[in-house]
């Protein structure tokens, strides 16, 4: 495992011998935006996948949106809405995998 930290970015690599390799890059654009890219290769299965993810924090609206897309044709997103007067958050989430023709959606409440 190797981690290199810069002022607003982090690069990490991990290898388990010749079996798998994982490379990640994370950058914080400003106080509201974060992005990351991850590459993973598993030699045993002969598969690799690259994922791009992001997080946008909307402080005035007390909301946060996270999303990701990968090379396996999966698209995911989570919208979290916090309420100033109440100690809980409302969450909507969704996952679409175009390759497998699957869709999953969820609704949740987080207390605390």
């Amino acid at each position: 495992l190797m981690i290199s930290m810069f002022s607003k970015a982090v690069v990490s690599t991990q290898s388990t011998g010749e079996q798998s390799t994982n490379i990640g890059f994370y950058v914080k654009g400003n106080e509201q935006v974060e992005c990351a890219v991850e590459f993973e290769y598993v030699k045993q299965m002969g598969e690799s996948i690259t994922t791009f993810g992001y997080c946008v924090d909307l402080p005035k609206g007390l909301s946060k949106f996270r999303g990701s897309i990968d090379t396996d044709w999966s698209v995911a997103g989570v919208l979290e809405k916090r309420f100033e007067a109440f100690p809980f958050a409302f969450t909507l989430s969704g996952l679409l995998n175009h390759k497998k023709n699957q869709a999953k959606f969820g609704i949740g409440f987080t207390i605390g």
Side-chain angles (χ1 to χ4, degrees):
L1 176 65
M2 184 184 92
I3 298 175
S4 299
M5 298 181 77
F6 304 98
S7 63
K8 289 188 174 185
V10 176
V11 177
S12 69
T13 60
Q14 180 179 5
S15 180
T16 56
E18 294 182 14
Q19 299 302 315
S20 68
T21 301
N22 186 300
I23 301 169
F25 175 75
Y26 164 85
V27 64
K28 185 168 179 112
N30 56 34
E31 292 299 316
Q32 288 84 26
V33 179
E34 302 172 46
C35 296
V37 177
E38 178 187 44
F39 171 78
E40 183 175 12
Y41 173 71
V42 180
K43 183 178 180 181
Q44 195 173 33
M45 299 178 141
E47 294 180 352
S48 65
I49 190 165
T50 301
T51 304
F52 170 75
Y54 59 92
C55 179
V56 178
D57 192 6
L58 306 169
K60 291 183 182 178
L62 296 173
S63 300
K64 187 178 281 192
F65 184 76
R66 294 188 231 20
S68 68
I69 186 167
D70 66 29
T71 54
D72 196 31
W73 294 98
S74 290
V75 179
V78 176
L79 174 65
E80 179 182 295
K81 170 70 175 160
R82 296 176 306 276
F83 296 96
E84 195 170 345
F86 305 104
F88 65 86
F90 176 68
T91 306
L92 294 173
S93 64
L95 171 67
L96 296 171
N97 187 316
H98 298 284
K99 188 176 178 182
K100 297 178 182 176
N101 201 21
Q102 293 179 340
K104 299 176 184 178
F105 298 95
I107 299 173
F109 286 98
T110 305
I111 299 171

